[in-house]
Amino acid sequence: MDINDQQLDMLREMGNIGASHAATSLSQMLMSEIEMTVPEAVVIDISDVNDVFSEEIAAMVVFEIQGEIQPAGYIVYHVPKLSAIRLTNTMLGSTDEDRELNELDESAIIEIGNIMISHFLDATAELLGVVMLPSPPMMTINMALAAFENILAQVAVDINEIILFKTELKSNDNDISSTIIMLPEEATLQEILRLLNNLITPEI
Amino acid sequence: MDKKNTSGSQGSNVGIGDFKTGNTQISSIGLGSCVAFILYDRKQKTGGLAHVMLPESNGRSERPAKFADTAVPHLIHEMEKSGSSRQNLSAYLVGGASMFQQFKGNLDIGKRNVIALKHCLDEHHIYLESEDIGGTSGRSVLFYPEDGGKICIRRADGKCYDL
């Protein structure tokens, strides 16, 4: 994939703005401080996706990015199983961690993901000056890698390298860790880079 | 340049769109809509696994294991290169799940992958010995050619079994 370090930096900054807004909304929902890692923007070969996702069971809430740029790609809210249980426990005031995820957990996690990703995309879209909206969420509790394969199969027909944005959000109070991953389509990526470039290059 | 051309993967795990042949353990973790296409040579106790992501290559040739219609002839060819005869090969399919019920559009890719692979196996006169496909659970598969072609499956819902 033809992308230089400066472009990767711009993409990281964009991810940073989106993720900060998502982190703020999570912080309000959990009423606790959220620690956010510096967003990564990585170019990765499809055969190495198992370096990013494992076969560990997780709740995966997936959104298609809709709006002016079509097809734009996908954004995923990934919560490992134990964190997912703690996440809903925190919201519902329960402490039982030794259980399976139930329908109530699923609804709660979909809703949390929905709110966070909406904030993420709002902030990114505002920065770029385009409309970007999340599709209705799709959710599975499954091996994270297996769920991600399904999304990858939509995006990587013609390409063998993808670019991923990844930010980890942590609540140390509740020992909850989750990750936001954005997988833009190749054309979207070029459009995002063009828009970002316009932002930093003053018009004559 | 495509760095992974036809070399196959290093290590035991076969990543998406990749393949591996040999007689020691071959694995593929976290199969969702992808399908592990496995060939086992009963006589030589060797085997191969391709991690297939999509049904049709539509003329793309740089990563044969990525597409069902190129993975089948490619893996057969790789097995023949290491001394297998076609009549000793049996095939196994694992994966092809549907992870998101709500996915719209052309989206039962798992099912389409399985159909395409079966069609290609017929075309190449390879017998499909057994399969563990469909459903909504991710799967990891471990294949032991030198151990009589034993295939172990671990599913996202916690179930483990031999194929």
Side-chain angles (χ1 to χ4, degrees), chain A residues 45 55 142 149-150 156 158 160, chain B residues 32-33 51 60 63 136 138 140:
Chain A
D45 191 279
E55 54 180 343
N142 230 304
E149 270 193 349
N150 246 49
D158 279 312
N160 293 322
Chain B
S33 56
H51 191 146
R60 299 175 190 93
R63 262 200 223 188
T136 56
S140 289

Side-chain angles (χ1 to χ4, degrees), chain A:
Chain A
M1 189 171 287
D2 205 10
I3 189 159
N4 61 37
D5 285 347
Q6 193 202 350
Q7 290 174 317
L8 275 179
D9 270 343
M10 291 198 296
L11 291 171
R12 266 182 216 116
E13 188 46 37
M14 187 193 75
N16 194 20
I17 291 167
S20 313
H21 282 75
T24 307
S25 65
L26 181 62
S27 166
Q28 285 163 353
M29 286 185 276
L30 294 179
M31 290 183 284
S32 85
E33 218 169 278
I34 301 294
E35 206 173 276
M36 185 182 105
T37 59
V38 177
E40 293 173 61
V42 286
V43 179
I44 188 171
D45 191 279
I46 54 167
S47 63
D48 295 325
V49 166
N50 49 306
D51 294 343
V52 180
F53 290 100
S54 70
E55 54 180 343
E56 186 196 358
I57 307 296
M60 302 278 280
V61 194
V62 177
F63 305 80
E64 200 181 335
I65 304 169
Q66 299 176 332
E68 280 174 53
I69 316 171
Q70 288 282 4
Y74 292 88
I75 188 158
V76 182
Y77 184 50
H78 163 249
V79 196
K81 188 178 166 189
L82 187 55
S83 281
I85 289 171
R86 286 177 182 151
L87 190 58
T88 41
N89 278 359
T90 306
M91 297 196 71
L92 303 171
S94 162
T95 52
D96 179 15
E97 289 183 0
D98 188 20
R99 60 184 182 88
E100 289 304 307
L101 286 160
N102 57 38
E103 276 181 31
L104 190 62
D105 293 306
E106 289 187 26
S107 318
I109 292 159
I110 289 176
E111 202 41 45
I112 291 166
N114 208 359
I115 292 168
M116 289 173 61
I117 299 307
S118 299
H119 280 90
F120 183 102
L121 284 179
D122 270 353
T124 329
E126 198 183 311
L127 175 77
L128 296 173
V130 293
V131 177
M132 275 165 124
L133 297 165
S135 71
M138 298 170 275
M139 146 82 132
T140 183
I141 292 168
N142 230 304
M143 291 175 173
L145 178 59
F148 192 71
E149 270 193 349
N150 246 49
I151 304 159
L152 197 61
Q154 308 301 319
V155 174
V157 179
D158 279 312
I159 52 171
N160 293 322
E161 276 186 334
I162 53 165
I163 182 152
L164 279 181
F165 302 87
K166 192 177 156 216
T167 313
E168 200 182 340
L169 303 172
K170 270 186 175 169
S171 160
N172 290 327
D173 298 349
N174 307 302
D175 202 7
I176 297 166
S177 157
S178 62
T179 316
I180 295 174
I181 299 107
M182 185 176 171
L183 175 62
E185 291 269 1
E186 174 82 21
T188 312
L189 191 62
Q190 297 308 328
E191 180 63 9
I192 290 175
L193 285 170
R194 192 183 67 77
L195 292 164
L196 285 173
N197 209 37
N198 288 352
L199 278 179
I200 58 168
T201 320
E203 283 184 41
I204 302 160

